[in-house]
Amino acid sequence: MIRNYFKIAFRNLWRHRVFSFINILGLSVGMSACLLIYLYVSFELSYDRYHAKGDRIFRVVTNIKTPTDTLDWNSASIPMSPAMKKDFPEVEQFVRIEPNSLLVSRGETKFQEDKLAFADSSLFSVFTLPLVKGDPDKALAAPWQVVLTETSAKKYFGTAEPVGQTLYLTGSRLPATVTGVMKDFPDNSHFKYDILVSMTTWTQKINPGLDDQWEGFNGFAYVLLHDAKDAPGLKAKLPAFIDRHIGKDLQKAQMTFTLDLEPMKDIYLRSKRGAPESGSLPNITIFSLIAVFILLIASINFINLATARSAERAKEVGIRKVVGADRKQLTGQFLGESVLLCMISFLMAVGLCALLLPLFNQLSGKTISHGIFDHASTIGILLLIAITIGLFAGIYPALVLSGFRPIAVLKGSFSSGKKGILLRKGLVVSQFVISIALITGTLVVYSQLTFMRNQDLGFSKQQQLVINFDGDSTIWQHYEAFKQQLTSLPNALSATASSAIPGQGNPTAYSQLENHLGVMQPTNMELFSIDYDFIKQYGIQIVAGRPFSTGFPSDSTRAILVNEEAVSTLGYHSPQEIIGKKFSQWGRQGTIIGVVKNFHFRGLQNAIKPMDFRIRPRDFSFVTVKISGRDVQKTIAAAGDLWRRTLPNRPFAYYFADEEFNKLYRSEDQFGQLFLNFAILAIFISCLGLLGLASYSTLQRTKEIGIRKVLGSSVGGIVNLLSKDFLKLVWIAFLIASPLAYIGMHKWLQDFAYRIDMDWWIFAMAGMIAMLIALFTVSFHAVRSALANPTKSLRTE
Amino acid sequence: MIKISDLQKVYRTEEVETIALNKLTFDVKEGEFVAVMGPSGCGKSTLLNILGLLDDPDGGSFLFNGTEVAHFNERKRADLRKRNIGFVFQSFNLIDELTVFENVELPLIYLGVKGPERKQRVETVLDKMQIMHRRNHYPQQLSGGQQQRVAVARAVVNNPKLILADEPTGNLDSSNGNEVMQLLTDLNEQGTTIIMVTHSEHDSRYSHRIIRMLDGQTVTENILV
């Protein structure tokens, strides 16, 4: 019996190739989209789950409250976690990780290591990060010890034995011994480094005294508890802990520190404080929904086409009933057919996925999977899902078909499932609701991206060639001379040095500024150290006072410029009022000499915060050369030559300020691209279904079309007749989709401090796009049947 | 074999109520060949539906081999049907996606007959109908007469006690028509009861008895033999 079902199923699929093709194509594309999203989502959810002790690991984070604001930081200062271990028996162990960027060399092999970190040796026992060579207890215990990942070991030593060899940190000055080689960090780790240097190197050798600095926040601290259940109790003891250690200092500075413990497994997706790598729970939710929607659309196609075609199958049903089939057997047969179809689609989907995976990895910006066949259990689950879809999508058609009255069908007095029409229309509407909502979403995402790229940032980022010298003392000690040489390069207009470039992070300096009441108010200021030419070269406007000038010797030590945001934070009504007021910041005292117009020194996701500029060559890390834009390559080559002559030890690292700034939007870009692709898929599958349905309904109305043509209807009239019904459905879908899309995208936009308004035209455009695509799809058949010779269609009746 | 009394069937739509069978009463003995005649809309098809256990009556009694089947549920009806009743239609009603052999095999599959026995029984009946050489063809590749022979083969392959024929010659030319009527007569002579709905006076003369219907009732019964 089963064999007979399969035989019929296969022959049916073959006989109705077009319908089968539409179904299989739609389902397999839908399933592969789902499969990819599934891999993506499960990868995102798998972050940091590989640590055997993961449940007991917590990140120590700090909230810093000043009279003006609260900073929710993801870091803890160096002494905090060791003190916690000492004070609390609940704490089994701590690990501190201090990210840094150093020039590392071995003879002539030199690399600027941006992914370097100082770390405690407990890293290997707290986290599940196995060493391939070396002793985990001792590898990072003493100063000047280095552990390499397998990849970086190969980079420096090739096939030679790395353990026991010497590497030089910061160029050639600081020798360190390789004491171990570890496996590369897993892809799904919220922190990844290429080189680890012992923490004692940092706290005792490079920055002696750091062990007692409770107020410096740069790195991360993790604690391993004996029992995860102790966490709430421990948290409750932390305020007293802070008070005991630095209560007095904080009181004097009018600050409070509040420590918190974040569970390891929540850091990547749920922490609002961020991490070296962090994911987005809303995005995962959005993509999961999209996956379900796409599958839904494909399944709807299946149901629609199957019921629409029921009239064709009716005869077979009648015959089978007459020769003895009962309803159960028929239901089984049709379910079998739909499962078969789903299985074929599933196989194609797996193949398609295998092909698309590298592309998807690229699109999502990470290696979510090295090959889908690595995930046998995943594929097993998906196979089950495919069968379930087959059963679900098949159950309605199966029930409809098996319920036919055989004699009516066999005698030809059967009218093709009038009752199914409303359901089919409902399903088409829901498909288009999803499609239109996705199109709207895509338009909103891209409008926001365009807005962010084109928004006036308040500084000039064009033609700014940025050279990163990583604070090398050779440069900042002689930077005036170096600047001179840079400005004399071909096509170079000017040059300036600074601690950071707009778009990158700055240190937050805890400062005291005189407010409108004449009181020294503690304020967190983002701090840029710059030279005299920075303001001018970056086109930052002065709204009050004056920029730094070499004519005022005190400018280099006793003056700052603040932004408008700082002015209003301090309670002044106009920028003029703050000129001449006092400040005290990181060991410097003096007066505010000018106010700059607010500019975006961070991406448009973030609101502009109070900041200030000061002159301090020691902090310089970047030189920016403004170039004319003519023959850029020549300028770069000349700068490279100059670099190699000045700093032969250091690789020449450069980029353009505008490109770098746009990188701040990379994750939004990726989100947009993924969104766009899936929206296209959704509308494609919807249209496949529409195409099938339209061709079917056109087929059914062949006689009507014939009669209308005989009576004098024009081709246009017929196309209109056939398209009208479908367009009405799209219109209804538009009315439902628009508010849904508005709500969803409104929520998405909340993540951006500076965002677009969702104008009516975005919705109108989404509706128009859907309408046009639907019209095009439907009229494909409508035109063909409208042009057909009417006598032909009438004779066949 | 069949005894129906006061059989009633009413079709209702929103506005119209059509009485298809109005207290119909007659019986058919085992081994009989009965023709049912009457104008379009007189209830012939409804009667055939009910006799074939494809539909249930709204009232009255239907004894099949002494069992009251009027209120059997769908499962029981399907079971009784596949063991006892064969159908032959005007428009042949073969499944286009199946070959001649597979079409004839179908009732045996639903009866649960095992493969080798199925093969043997199908071949026997195809041989008898003289379409063995066409066993691997699809219905569209056959002439009307051949298709109807396949349909008859399918109707008799499970050795039913009753064959219901609905205008079996309606789509055939006269020589093919006569051939099919001859097949039915042969089957009847071998003991199968046949009830045939027809418009054709010519075909009706093959039967033993003609029941004439009008407006859901029998008007006359002519005994021919």
Side-chain angles (χ1 to χ4, degrees), chain A residues 436-669:
Chain A
I436 293 173
L438 287 176
I439 297 175
T440 314
T442 308
L443 290 175
V444 172
V445 171
Y446 274 84
S447 309
Q448 174 68 18
L449 279 172
T450 314
F451 164 78
M452 290 198 294
R453 282 208 200 84
N454 297 340
Q455 173 77 341
D456 179 16
L457 298 171
F459 70 92
S460 144
K461 57 180 175 160
Q462 267 76 40
Q463 315 291 3
Q464 307 268 23
L465 176 69
V466 179
I467 300 167
N468 179 359
F469 64 91
D470 198 37
D472 197 302
S473 55
T474 321
I475 298 291
W476 63 256
Q477 280 165 3
H478 313 285
Y479 93 97
E480 282 299 344
F482 187 58
K483 248 170 75 176
Q484 281 302 320
Q485 288 173 295
L486 282 172
T487 30
S488 59
L489 292 176
N491 303 322
L493 303 175
S494 62
T496 177
S498 56
S499 60
I501 300 301
Q504 295 167 331
N506 305 293
T508 300
Y510 185 70
S511 323
Q512 314 250 353
L513 289 97
E514 186 180 346
N515 68 11
H516 68 296
L517 301 170
V519 178
M520 292 304 277
Q521 179 176 323
T523 312
N524 284 307
M525 304 287 284
E526 289 216 23
L527 175 61
F528 275 83
S529 294
I530 56 171
D531 68 7
Y532 294 95
D533 299 315
F534 188 88
I535 301 283
K536 184 166 170 249
Q537 185 176 322
Y538 270 97
I540 296 166
Q541 287 181 44
I542 299 284
V543 291
R546 57 172 180 85
F548 295 121
S549 157
T550 45
F552 298 84
S554 63
D555 275 9
S556 62
T557 49
R558 293 200 296 276
I560 57 169
L561 300 175
V562 298
N563 67 351
E564 293 170 312
E565 189 60 29
V567 171
S568 54
T569 304
L570 292 166
Y572 295 102
H573 296 296
S574 86
Q576 295 298 341
E577 298 170 17
I578 204 170
I579 306 300
K581 303 293 182 193
K582 291 198 283 291
F583 79 90
S584 161
Q585 178 185 55
W586 279 8
R588 280 192 184 186
Q589 276 89 36
T591 50
I592 297 164
I593 58 159
V595 177
V596 297
K597 199 170 160 47
N598 276 344
F599 69 101
H600 292 276
F601 49 91
R602 286 173 184 272
L604 267 67
Q605 300 96 326
N606 309 101
I608 295 175
K609 290 195 168 162
M611 60 81 62
D612 69 304
F613 286 115
R614 66 173 178 181
I615 305 256
R616 191 167 189 254
R618 249 201 97 100
D619 297 338
F620 293 167
S621 210
F622 300 90
V623 189
T624 311
V625 184
K626 176 88 176 170
I627 54 176
S628 71
R630 261 178 292 123
D631 209 351
V632 175
Q633 286 312 317
K634 193 174 161 196
T635 315
I636 293 174
D641 284 342
L642 173 62
W643 183 268
R644 278 179 284 279
R645 269 181 278 128
T646 321
L647 270 181
N649 279 331
R650 201 170 267 281
F652 178 55
Y654 72 93
Y655 53 79
F656 285 94
D658 51 350
E659 287 168 13
E660 194 67 10
F661 200 88
N662 281 340
K663 279 189 192 160
L664 298 175
Y665 307 134
R666 195 161 17 178
S667 78
E668 281 79 13
D669 260 332

Side-chain angles (χ1 to χ4, degrees), chain A residues 1 4-5 7-8 11-12 15-16 315-316 319-329 333 405-407 410-411, chain B residues 45 49 54-55 74-75 78 81-82 87 89 91 93-99 102 106-107 109-110 138 140 154 166:
Chain A
M1 183 119 57
N4 181 271
Y5 290 169
K7 204 151 53 187
I8 282 266
R11 286 182 193 161
N12 248 314
R15 244 168 84 88
H16 305 284
K315 183 183 150 197
E316 183 195 331
I319 297 167
R320 284 182 182 273
K321 277 202 166 182
V322 159
V323 300
D326 62 36
R327 193 161 176 176
K328 214 167 75 189
Q329 287 167 317
Q333 182 194 340
R405 302 231 155 231
I407 292 292
L410 294 179
K411 298 206 80 167
Chain B
S45 293
N49 274 349
L54 293 165
D55 206 351
E74 167 134 1
R75 272 269 299 285
R81 181 166 68 231
K82 69 183 169 194
F87 288 85
F89 297 95
S91 48
N93 282 329
L94 300 172
I95 297 181
D96 295 335
E97 286 80 10
L98 297 181
T99 63
E102 289 160 351
L106 209 51
I109 293 177
Y110 285 121
Y138 285 91
Q140 312 88 289
R154 187 180 61 189
D166 190 0

